Amino acid sequence: MKSLKALICYLITATCLSCSPSATNSEDYQNLSEEERFELAKQIAHNTIIVDGHVDLPYRMRVERATQQQEILNVADRTEGGDFDYPRSKEGGLDAPFMSIYIPARHQETGGAKMLADSLIQMTKSIAITWPEKFAMAYSPKDIQHNFEKGMISLPLGMENGAPIEGDIENLKYFYDQGIRYITLTHGKDNQIGDSSYDTTYIHDGLSEFGVLVVKEMNRLGIMVDISHVSDATFYDVMETSKVPVIASHSSARHFTPGFERNMDDEMIKKLGENGGVIMINFGGSFIDQSFDEKNNKVNEHIVNWLAENGFERNDPEAEAYIEKYVKENNPFPSVEKVADHIDHVRSLAGIGHIGLGSDFDGVGDTLPIGLKDVSMYPNLIAELLKRGYSIEDIEKICYQNIFRVWNKVIEFSEAN
């Protein structure tokens, strides 16, 4: 990895600002113009490992394979839809997106959760097999570091929803061997492991007895425990059970979204920090802005009514022009500043060592904020953090060092047990 301090000093000096060889304080960045600061942000993004805790590419590939009848989505080239592909990842400096092996909660009732997980894992591995010069699998921070030095994008695996365990503790070892390195314990419904933040039945009042065994076995195997999607009671049970730090792979601060249990409240964030864990901030509009859903619903309602009144289909040229103009004039989307607000808030509660990035790209649809619409735009967030006085060291912690620290602790515990 190149010396960011030396690089930033060089660039600041090139813009005629005073900078001694060791000057890397935040005042230098705040004194830059917006254009200069963005150029620095791009350099930081491209010279620092960026890990994203949650990208829903595998399920997107599954959907597009079914609708477009193609064996594998060509993410080695720029894609027309979606939020992730190789060219845009390189533009944004994304090096290690955790590929979400997403299992819809309905499979807890219909069956087939393990089979679907296997399919999505193999589909993800096929990316690295098909384009080995661009992508590589990664099963540890060392793998990511190695791939980064070779200029390749790593594809670590995280499973969203523990339903594929299917009540058999031995399946945890099976999925570890398949490459899964974190498991989000629940998703949209309570499951055999514990209660979900989106459900209201709370059948276990936290972790089930089986869920306690699952967390302990994940610790033993070296699989990170992910508490995104769990209920508050489940979270606190996990805190009591886990012997190592845990992560929230794609959650934000409930402070900005009162009543939205899917995000973490202040006490939970503090507890996560005391545990040594990391909350990886979700970029989705409803996660970062309480008013987004209401504003977005009003815009969509107007567009539906306008289309009906004027006899247009949404993809008619006249309709597309009108929709683009109307959305621009009545923009419901939050901005990149909102994501930075969540980072600020977590830092004030738990400290800089407990923040990461968990965008939920390809998972939150058309709700992403202005300035963070796809994986090419991480420099916009870095520029905003520089503007707010974050140091290079702070940004490196957010981008990869914090999640590497947790992951390595999980590995160390597993190796010792």
Side-chain angles (χ1 to χ4, degrees):
M1 190 181 303
K2 298 178 182 177
S3 170
L4 277 173
K5 290 184 178 180
L7 177 64
I8 299 304
C9 272
Y10 170 79
L11 290 171
I12 290 176
T13 303
T15 59
C16 301
L17 293 170
S18 62
C19 180
S20 67
S22 62
T24 58
N25 61 67
S26 59
E27 288 185 5
D28 294 324
Y29 318 138
Q30 291 175 303
N31 288 337
L32 294 175
S33 69
E34 296 289 337
E35 293 78 10
E36 291 165 342
R37 191 159 44 240
F38 180 68
E39 287 303 312
L40 290 179
K42 287 198 295 184
Q43 293 295 331
I44 292 171
H46 292 142
N47 288 276
T48 300
I49 295 173
I50 295 180
V51 177
D52 192 310
H54 196 89
V55 174
D56 273 298
L57 175 67
Y59 205 80
R60 171 189 159 202
M61 292 176 66
R62 180 177 186 270
V63 171
E64 295 201 16
R65 182 175 68 176
T67 57
Q68 299 181 18
Q69 297 183 338
Q70 52 185 345
E71 188 61 29
I72 180 172
L73 179 66
N74 183 8
V75 292
D77 296 329
R78 193 176 299 270
T79 60
E80 290 186 9
D83 308 324
F84 173 90
D85 54 45
Y86 181 84
R88 286 183 288 176
S89 292
K90 281 298 185 181
E91 289 169 16
L94 176 61
D95 303 292
F98 266 91
M99 296 283 98
S100 171
I101 305 305
Y102 162 55
I103 310 300
R106 65 178 179 272
H107 290 282
Q108 295 161 199
E109 299 175 356
T110 63
K114 184 173 181 288
M115 185 183 301
L116 175 57
D118 284 336
S119 172
L120 294 175
I121 290 168
Q122 294 308 313
M123 194 178 300
T124 303
K125 290 180 177 179
S126 71
I127 298 173
I129 293 170
T130 305
W131 299 287
E133 74 286 358
K134 295 181 177 180
F135 299 99
M137 302 307 297
Y139 306 112
S140 68
K142 286 183 180 179
D143 288 346
I144 293 174
Q145 178 73 49
H146 176 71
N147 294 337
F148 174 76
E149 291 169 357
K150 294 173 63 177
M152 301 171 70
I153 293 176
S154 294
L155 301 176
L157 298 171
M159 190 159 71
E160 186 178 24
N161 194 348
I165 298 169
E166 295 185 341
D168 183 353
I169 203 75
E170 294 299 320
N171 278 331
L172 282 169
K173 177 64 163 60
Y174 171 83
F175 282 116
Y176 177 85
D177 290 343
Q178 294 302 308
I180 294 295
R181 291 300 179 264
Y182 78 66
I183 296 177
T184 316
L185 299 180
T186 69
H187 194 255
K189 294 285 185 181
D190 301 347
N191 63 16
Q192 292 177 312
I193 298 168
D195 296 338
S196 165
S197 63
Y198 282 132
D199 209 338
T200 58
T201 56
Y202 302 122
I203 59 176
H204 307 293
D205 194 27
L207 280 177
S208 67
E209 291 184 9
F210 178 68
V212 171
L213 295 178
V214 165
V215 170
K216 290 180 177 179
E217 182 68 359
M218 288 172 69
N219 285 177
R220 189 187 72 82
L221 290 170
I223 302 173
M224 289 181 284
V225 178
D226 177 19
I227 53 79
S228 288
H229 281 284
V230 305
S231 70
D232 290 8
T234 304
F235 166 81
Y236 284 108
D237 282 352
V238 169
M239 291 297 100
E240 291 183 6
T241 305
S242 180
K243 302 299 183 183
V244 291
V246 307
I247 66 170
S249 68
H250 59 306
S251 296
S252 297
R254 200 182 301 173
H255 172 81
F256 299 97
T257 59
F260 185 37
E261 191 174 345
R262 173 65 179 79
N263 278 342
M264 298 180 68
D265 71 18
D266 288 1
E267 293 307 311
M268 295 166 73
I269 291 170
K270 291 176 185 177
K271 188 72 173 178
L272 187 74
E274 293 168 4
N275 165 268
V278 175
I279 174 173
M280 309 181 81
I281 301 300
N282 192 309
F283 298 172
S286 59
F287 286 81
I288 61 173
D289 185 355
Q290 179 78 10
S291 66
F292 170 73
D293 283 340
E294 181 181 353
K295 291 187 293 186
N296 195 44
N297 288 339
K298 286 182 178 179
V299 168
N300 287 332
E301 182 180 3
H302 172 84
I303 290 171
V304 168
N305 290 336
W306 183 89
L307 290 171
E309 291 167 1
N310 292 275
F312 285 121
E313 297 293 332
R314 187 176 286 266
N315 59 353
D316 290 337
E318 298 91 337
E320 289 180 343
Y322 178 84
I323 291 170
E324 181 179 1
K325 180 174 182 293
Y326 185 83
V327 171
K328 184 176 181 179
E329 292 174 350
N330 299 272
N331 172 38
F333 298 102
S335 65
V336 65
E337 286 85 356
K338 281 285 187 179
V339 176
D341 288 345
H342 284 255
I343 292 174
D344 283 347
H345 189 70
V346 175
R347 182 176 63 168
S348 73
L349 294 171
I352 193 66
H354 305 284
I355 311 167
L357 305 176
S359 63
D360 215 346
F361 280 136
D362 278 331
V364 289
D366 187 21
T367 74
L368 292 159
I370 302 298
L372 283 172
K373 290 293 188 184
D374 62 34
V375 295
S376 70
M377 298 186 181
Y378 294 95
N380 290 330
L381 178 57
I382 293 173
E384 179 63 25
L385 295 178
L386 291 171
K387 184 178 181 179
R388 296 184 183 209
Y390 286 72
S391 68
I392 296 171
E393 291 81 2
D394 292 337
I395 292 169
E396 288 176 330
K397 288 178 180 179
I398 293 169
C399 287
Y400 80 100
Q401 289 179 358
N402 292 337
I403 185 61
F404 271 22
R405 172 181 53 78
V406 172
W407 196 351
N408 281 323
K409 283 185 177 295
V410 171
I411 292 172
E412 290 165 10
F413 181 88
S414 173
E415 291 176 345
N417 290 273

